[in-house]
Amino acid sequence: TDYDLIIVNGVVVSDTEIGEYDIAVRDEKIAKVVSRGGLNDAKAAKMIDAEGGYVMPGGVDAHVHLQEPPLFGKGSTADNYESGSRSAVCGGTTTMVTFAPQKKSEDTLLDTLYATHEKAKDNCYIDYSFHLLVGNPSAKALSEFKTLRKEGVSSLKIYMTYQALQLHDGEILDVLLEARKQQITTMVHAENGQVIDWMTAQLEKRKLFAPKYHGTSHPSMAETEATYRAICLSEFMDSPILIVHVSTPAAAAHIKSAQDRGIPIYAETCPQYLFLTKADLDQPGFEGAKCVCSPPPRESEADCDVIWDGLANGTFTILSSDHCPFRFDDNVIGKKSSINDEYPLGHFKYIPNGIAGIETRLALTLSANRLDLKRFVEVTCSNPAKLYGLYPLKGALVEGQSDADINIWYPPGKMQEFELKNEMLHHDVDYTPFEGRKLKQWPRYTILRGQVVWDKENGGLLGKKGYGKFIKREASSLAKPRRVGEWDIHPDGSFGIY
Ligand code: URP
Ligand code: ZN
Ligand code: ZN
Ligand code: ZN
């Protein structure tokens, strides 16, 4: 045989092109992409007829929390590397970048990295890589950035909020300077922690504890201010950043304006900011806790519309899930751990922050039918790969270069609209915040390095735990400083690039 797998009759969508192409796979790689019919004489061990369905690169989800302790309280996120990556593959995501979380009490980043490797090793259904989450930018930690690059880690996340992790502006500059030298991209959680703490105290004085006050305690202003401050610090240091999980129109406007000036500012949004609003937090009883995440779902659908616009017009570079799942009906490590004798109806500030979404990201967004298809591929596959140094190995279908990670969607009209139900999902969580949403699409086949790992009509999950492997990443091919040279204080006392 010539090939391991041939996919015919598909409509192939990349970030730049849509066309009728057939694809041949050999030795885990994309071997050929040719006009429809061009492989008719080729022999392959396996053939898939896409029947006119869209054929896209496998999804790349660059914002995933697995087996992490929550930012306050006890326990751990509901999904471990096994269940999280299983959920991913059943929704068409073939590569994930998860966080290796360093605590404030720890000095080193490398121990964190190696400990996270242990959690993931032999447990993943999909390929994976890590961002280092820097809780303590100690001298030691900063000196380790160089080794991180050698270990295939080319991005970090820092927080401007959460007492357990919040960095002050001088610490952020320390990180940005060292990240710049090592060609590392810094991801910033931009919310003003002191504003949130102040609002929380105001609400507590008034004895307002219900889940919906999580939203009140995280006002849009706190995100908008921190976003602009992060942009200023990044521009000053000429060190590229990505603002994670952007939710407010005003923050998006600051990002757009920096981008228009040519500053390397990148931004991410997530399905929760496209589909959820304050009304989802404002539910009877404790129900609203299901949608507690930070930043919170915003005011109204008009806000969601602005986020959709930013996704369409390029303000947002990537769409990630921010999969950070907590079980609802679990009073030890889940959402209900915030309920106790003192707060029998719960207290918003103790509700673990985060929601599940690694499996639903692609189908929800594609089913909404609000993005150009090439743009859909760009924000869910190609751009995350480019931004984080995985391109064109991942996020693309380039002959001889890309891994054969492929999603084949149902042909138009072949799938009946259906209501999403948590029981359809493969995570280890007892709910989805998107329960009852109407979907028109779901991946029919998902292929990872040439293996069919998901076949919705024939066995569902076919992939095996442990097939997923760690991918070392290069420097970003998108995010670069504008000037070359070292940023430093010069012998004459002036500072800047030389
Ligand atoms: O609420 C969220 N987003 N939890 C996950 C942690 C984070 O800040 O991304
Ligand atoms: Zn965050
Ligand atoms: Zn997150
Ligand atoms: Zn000089």
Side-chain angles (χ1 to χ4, degrees), residues 62-339:
H63 189 146
V64 179
H65 303 265
L66 298 175
Q67 250 167 296
E68 266 186 47
L71 298 163
F72 30 78
K74 321 183 264 300
S76 163
T77 48
D79 279 317
N80 57 23
Y81 276 82
E82 178 179 347
S83 63
S85 65
R86 178 182 69 207
S87 184
V89 71
C90 300
T93 288
T94 48
T95 304
M96 62 181 179
V97 192
T98 63
F99 294 99
Q102 181 211 25
K103 296 197 194 83
K104 254 206 190 321
S105 58
E106 294 165 344
D107 201 31
T108 150
L109 296 171
L110 296 178
D111 289 354
T112 308
L113 176 62
Y114 303 138
T116 308
H117 267 294
E118 284 310 306
K119 293 180 190 171
K121 194 165 164 278
D122 301 329
N123 283 323
C124 292
Y125 285 85
I126 66 171
D127 288 351
Y128 61 94
S129 192
F130 304 125
H131 307 290
L132 236 298
L133 197 168
V134 181
N136 176 14
S138 65
K140 173 131 195 246
L142 294 168
S143 75
E144 291 171 337
F145 283 20
K146 203 177 184 142
T147 313
L148 287 182
R149 281 301 311 282
K150 293 209 186 81
E151 297 281 346
V153 174
S154 55
S155 50
L156 312 166
K157 184 181 179 189
I158 58 171
Y159 283 86
M160 298 170 83
T161 184
Y162 291 128
Q163 277 159 15
L165 291 169
Q166 182 173 343
L167 304 191
H168 59 68
D169 294 353
E171 291 172 315
I172 295 173
L173 292 175
D174 283 341
V175 168
L176 289 174
L177 172 56
E178 206 52 36
R180 182 190 198 289
K181 289 181 184 167
Q182 304 303 337
Q183 287 185 278
I184 286 173
T185 305
T186 304
M187 310 159 76
V188 184
H189 179 131
E191 285 187 288
N192 182 319
Q194 287 182 321
V195 169
I196 292 166
D197 292 345
W198 188 88
M199 288 296 286
T200 301
Q202 296 296 312
L203 289 158
E204 287 180 311
K205 263 191 236 169
R206 292 163 179 75
K207 301 211 171 345
L208 301 172
F209 302 124
K212 70 174 175 182
Y213 296 112
H214 170 74
T216 319
S217 69
H218 288 241
S220 293
M221 175 278 283
E223 179 179 344
T224 305
E225 183 280 330
T227 299
Y228 185 58
R229 180 155 40 101
I231 291 169
C232 291
L233 297 173
S234 157
E235 181 174 5
F236 175 65
M237 212 39 106
D238 191 23
S239 186
I241 57 170
L242 169 107
I243 315 273
V244 292
H245 47 48
V246 174
S247 73
T248 77
H254 279 304
I255 290 160
K256 176 81 166 57
S257 129
Q259 290 169 343
D260 288 347
R261 288 186 296 116
I263 315 298
I265 303 292
Y266 298 88
E268 171 194 79
T269 193
C270 314
Q272 40 276 41
Y273 309 115
L274 301 172
F275 293 101
L276 303 180
T277 64
K278 196 163 121 177
D280 295 290
L281 280 178
D282 189 3
Q283 300 280 327
F286 193 63
E287 197 61 18
K290 289 182 175 175
C291 295
V292 166
C293 57
S294 290
R298 295 302 181 187
E299 218 54 33
S300 66
E301 282 185 21
D303 288 327
C304 298
D305 288 342
V306 176
I307 302 301
W308 275 109
D309 291 344
L311 206 49
N313 72 21
T315 304
F316 296 112
T317 322
I318 64 174
L319 178 75
S320 311
S321 67
D322 193 6
H323 183 78
C324 185
F326 294 94
R327 275 184 286 276
F328 179 70
D329 201 10
D330 178 329
N331 51 25
V332 182
I333 61 169
K335 296 283 185 181
K336 289 191 176 169
S337 63
S338 55
I339 295 177

